[in-house]
Amino acid sequence: MTDWFPRSQAPLAPEELFGSAVKLHQQGRLPEAEAAYRKLLAVDPLHAGGLHYLGLLLLQLSRAEAAADLIGRSLAQHERNPQGHYHLGLAMAQLGRFADVVLHNERAIALQPDFAEAHLNLGNGLKALGRLADAQAAYERLIELAPDLAEAHFNLANVHLARGCPDQAITVYERTLSLRPAYPEALNNLAGTLLARGRIEPALQRYRQALELRPDFSEAIVGSALALLMRDDAFAAMTLLCKTLTLRPTREAKDLFVACARGLNRCPNVPQLRDVLGAALREPWSRPSLFAPFAAAFLKDKGPVADALADMPRRGRTLAPQNLRALATDALLGALLENAPVADAQLEALLAAARRGILALCQQAPSGPEAEPEADALLPFACSLARQCFINEYVFDLDTAEEADVGKLRQRFADISGAGVTPPALLVATIACYGPLNLQPGHDLLLDQPSSTALEAVIAQQVREPARERVMAAAVPQLTSIDDTTSLAVRQQYEENPFPRWIKTTPGGQPISFDAYLRSMLPSARLTPVDRAPLDVLIAGCGTGQQPVEFAARVSS
């Protein structure tokens, strides 16, 4: 029969295509290898090796769904392939289908009883399913097959720990490290277990060894910080936490930072601390009021706030324009003012002086383009200060002369808005420093006019949100009428001044069941599971509502 192709252009046989694809795969040229495998499967769609190895390649690329399909199609033709079952188990692990992980690794082991990797992944799948005794048996069988395999001992130690046997875990972690001293995960887990047993110094030593091997190991950094905090070395703990929070801000690191900050009233010299504190307030990482005192101490230690405090005795009760401009550059001060009431006598005096300084500038400033640069520079700070004054119920000292000057500004606002013109932004922010904008005649004009981001936040806080609250309050069912004078007066007081106001709550995290919540609060009590949903929960004396909101975010039913 005549060959219709020149010999150099003849189509490659499937096995040649397969060999070429595998070679590319082994060389790490994954895009080219994928193309070669697909070319093979276009010629021979049922090629078991092509299906299997293309699936393995996709597994390397974390495309687990497609990988599982391809490897499964390969196994449909060659069911007795232990490697195929093992690799399909890996794909199922990426997909979180741990029952299938167990199934396929058991099949791999049935076909090849000494398949160490399959024993390892069988144990991993059983542990993920919570079958800890079975996982322990799988790892112990693996150790019989491969006594020098450090991963087997490490995973067995993890199971001991999960089963509540820390002393056995410590013994097996030490055995793991005798086999592989440079094992940062084992060092970290051993350190954490030692720390939980109160052995602070040995734990710190193991954490240090882990960090020598992997300096950016976040879990080890957080663990070291916790150990230092337990040793009453909060400054060293804060230094470590700021390091990891700039690299990888985990929930554990954030929680520990807040715990550390709550106990400090002076500041370590940590370069990243200013940025970390600002992020903690803005997100927030917990109730901002819990670590606001530490933020205040930090601000008073150095920077624009410290400089302005040092200048106040010379300047008197009104802050100088240069100090105001410097405060306007301090992002951390802005974050504190916007998110928590400032309960610090020195800062309160400074902020009252700053408010008088802004008032004086607003009175004296000329109108027109020449006044805009100064106003634009001070506006963000004036808006942050207005939001703080709203939060603290306008507690700053106000003398008769200052009150008269504010009255003049209010009249100017009313005159300008009465003419259908939007008042200057700094004038709006200054008035908002002395009372809620929703009580200022003509404030409705602000709702439909474009504003800067900073001023819009003030308008939202003092105009839009109170209006929404009134609508919501009117929709709340009234169970009984209130007509006695004292109750009406108390209600009015709380509605007008719900002190302490709060802006943000502690993040809820992953919600837990009501039963789990009760067990966390009462670990030693014998509790009957609650089998009714939804639940009605009474939080007695809920005050401003922060606790019910946080509870609803934390508990799922």
Side-chain angles (χ1 to χ4, degrees):
M1 183 173 181
T2 304
D3 191 343
W4 290 96
F5 298 94
R7 190 158 187 80
S8 60
Q9 298 180 12
L12 294 175
E15 291 310 312
E16 293 177 287
L17 289 170
F18 180 58
S20 175
V22 169
K23 185 175 181 180
L24 291 168
H25 196 166
Q26 290 171 336
Q27 293 171 350
R29 296 160 64 180
L30 300 188
E32 297 168 78
E34 180 179 353
Y37 284 130
R38 294 195 184 280
K39 184 176 179 181
L40 161 65
L41 294 174
V43 174
D44 184 358
L46 299 179
H47 193 285
L51 290 166
H52 183 172
Y53 278 76
L54 177 57
L56 184 57
L57 184 149
L58 296 181
L59 191 59
Q60 291 176 259
L61 299 174
S62 298
R63 291 158 61 183
E65 193 77 52
D69 174 66
L70 287 163
I71 299 171
R73 285 159 56 190
S74 175
L75 281 170
Q77 300 175 65
H78 294 283
E79 166 65 22
R80 298 183 60 78
N81 177 2
Q83 287 285 342
H85 286 289
Y86 168 70
H87 290 144
L88 186 52
L90 292 178
M92 293 302 175
Q94 282 192 19
L95 294 170
R97 293 166 54 179
F98 295 107
D100 289 325
V101 172
V102 170
L103 171 67
H104 286 287
N105 280 286
E106 285 179 336
R107 289 181 178 175
I109 292 166
L111 293 165
Q112 185 180 326
D114 62 348
F115 195 162
E117 292 86 350
H119 282 279
L120 182 65
N121 282 355
L122 172 61
N124 295 345
L126 290 166
K127 183 173 183 291
L129 290 172
R131 294 169 55 184
L132 299 181
D134 293 335
Q136 179 175 333
Y139 293 136
E140 289 171 344
R141 172 60 181 144
L142 172 58
I143 290 170
E144 292 176 5
L145 292 171
D148 295 334
L149 185 63
E151 287 86 350
H153 295 274
F154 174 66
N155 287 11
L156 177 59
N158 292 341
V159 168
H160 282 309
L161 194 60
R163 299 190 73 185
C165 304
D167 292 331
Q168 291 94 319
I170 289 170
T171 300
V172 182
Y173 283 132
E174 295 284 11
R175 190 187 310 146
T176 304
L177 291 166
S178 70
L179 294 169
R180 187 195 297 175
Y183 199 155
E185 293 83 5
L187 288 162
N188 176 72
N189 288 14
L190 172 59
T193 311
L194 292 167
L195 190 60
R197 304 295 279 170
R199 297 166 62 182
I200 297 174
E201 295 307 321
L204 277 170
Q205 179 185 359
R206 292 303 193 176
Y207 280 131
R208 279 192 289 268
Q209 291 172 339
L211 291 170
E212 286 171 3
L213 295 168
R214 191 192 301 171
D216 62 347
F217 194 171
S218 176
E219 289 82 355
I221 296 174
V222 173
S224 297
L226 177 59
L228 290 166
L229 198 57
M230 292 171 65
R231 200 175 67 176
D232 295 325
D233 194 350
F235 278 10
M238 183 69 78
T239 301
L240 280 177
L241 289 169
C242 286
K243 175 183 176 182
T244 193
L245 284 164
T246 57
L247 297 171
R248 186 177 168 222
T250 63
R251 180 74 261 163
E252 293 76 15
K254 292 176 180 180
D255 290 344
L256 191 56
F257 176 86
V258 171
C260 193
R262 289 179 66 176
L264 288 175
N265 55 15
R266 49 194 190 89
C267 305
N269 184 20
V270 180
Q272 306 98 324
L273 182 53
R274 175 176 287 273
D275 292 338
V276 170
L277 255 179
L281 286 164
R282 283 188 294 268
E283 289 189 28
W285 296 351
S286 184
R287 291 188 183 185
S289 59
L290 295 178
F291 52 97
F294 177 66
F298 181 89
L299 288 165
K300 293 191 299 180
D301 185 60
K302 59 189 168 195
V305 170
D307 295 341
L309 284 170
D311 204 31
M312 274 187 67
R314 186 166 62 88
R315 295 288 182 180
R317 286 168 49 83
T318 301
L319 211 59
Q322 62 266 32
N323 292 130
L324 289 173
R325 286 191 289 270
L327 292 179
T329 66
D330 195 326
L332 176 58
L333 175 61
L336 176 60
L337 295 179
E338 293 167 10
N339 291 292
V342 174
D344 180 277
Q346 287 181 292
L347 272 187
E348 181 178 320
L350 175 67
L351 295 171
R355 186 172 70 167
R356 284 189 287 271
I358 292 171
L359 174 62
L361 287 173
C362 199
Q363 286 180 300
Q364 300 163 9
S367 59
E370 66 276 11
E372 290 178 4
E374 181 80 4
D376 289 346
L378 290 179
L379 181 62
F381 174 63
C383 290
S384 295
L385 185 57
R387 292 167 69 180
Q388 170 62 204
C389 292
F390 182 86
I391 295 169
N392 68 29
E393 305 294 340
Y394 300 93
V395 73
F396 295 160
D397 179 46
L398 180 65
D399 61 30
T400 303
E402 189 177 356
E403 190 171 11
D405 290 338
V406 174
K408 294 174 185 177
L409 282 191
R410 292 189 184 282
Q411 187 58 53
R412 190 199 303 178
F413 184 110
D415 292 342
I416 294 172
S417 60
V421 178
T422 303
L426 188 60
L427 172 61
V428 176
T430 304
I431 288 174
C433 287
Y434 287 92
L437 281 177
N438 63 339
L439 301 182
Q440 169 64 39
H443 70 267
D444 290 343
L445 190 66
L446 301 172
L447 296 173
D448 300 323
Q449 301 298 322
S451 304
S452 68
T453 301
L455 186 59
E456 178 53 39
V458 177
I459 294 169
Q461 178 195 56
Q462 302 189 15
V463 181
R464 299 185 196 278
E465 290 173 3
R468 187 180 174 201
E469 287 168 8
R470 288 192 295 272
V471 172
M472 294 170 67
V476 174
Q478 183 172 323
L479 301 180
T480 60
S481 61
I482 301 173
D483 50 20
D484 68 277
T485 304
T486 301
S487 295
L488 290 171
V490 170
R491 183 180 73 175
Q492 181 180 356
Q493 173 190 323
Y494 274 106
E495 288 179 352
E496 291 180 359
N497 303 97
F499 189 83
R501 287 187 186 267
W502 51 273
I503 304 302
K504 295 174 180 176
T505 63
T506 300
Q510 184 66 34
I512 61 175
S513 69
F514 186 71
D515 287 335
Y517 173 78
L518 285 181
R519 284 195 296 273
S520 71
M521 300 298 291
L522 304 166
S524 300
R526 298 180 64 181
L527 301 171
T528 301
V530 176
D531 58 1
R532 184 172 63 86
L535 294 171
D536 293 325
V537 178
L538 171 65
I539 298 179
C542 59
T544 61
Q546 192 169 16
Q547 187 176 359
V549 169
E550 291 179 343
F551 179 86
R554 183 179 179 190
V555 179
S556 59
S557 62

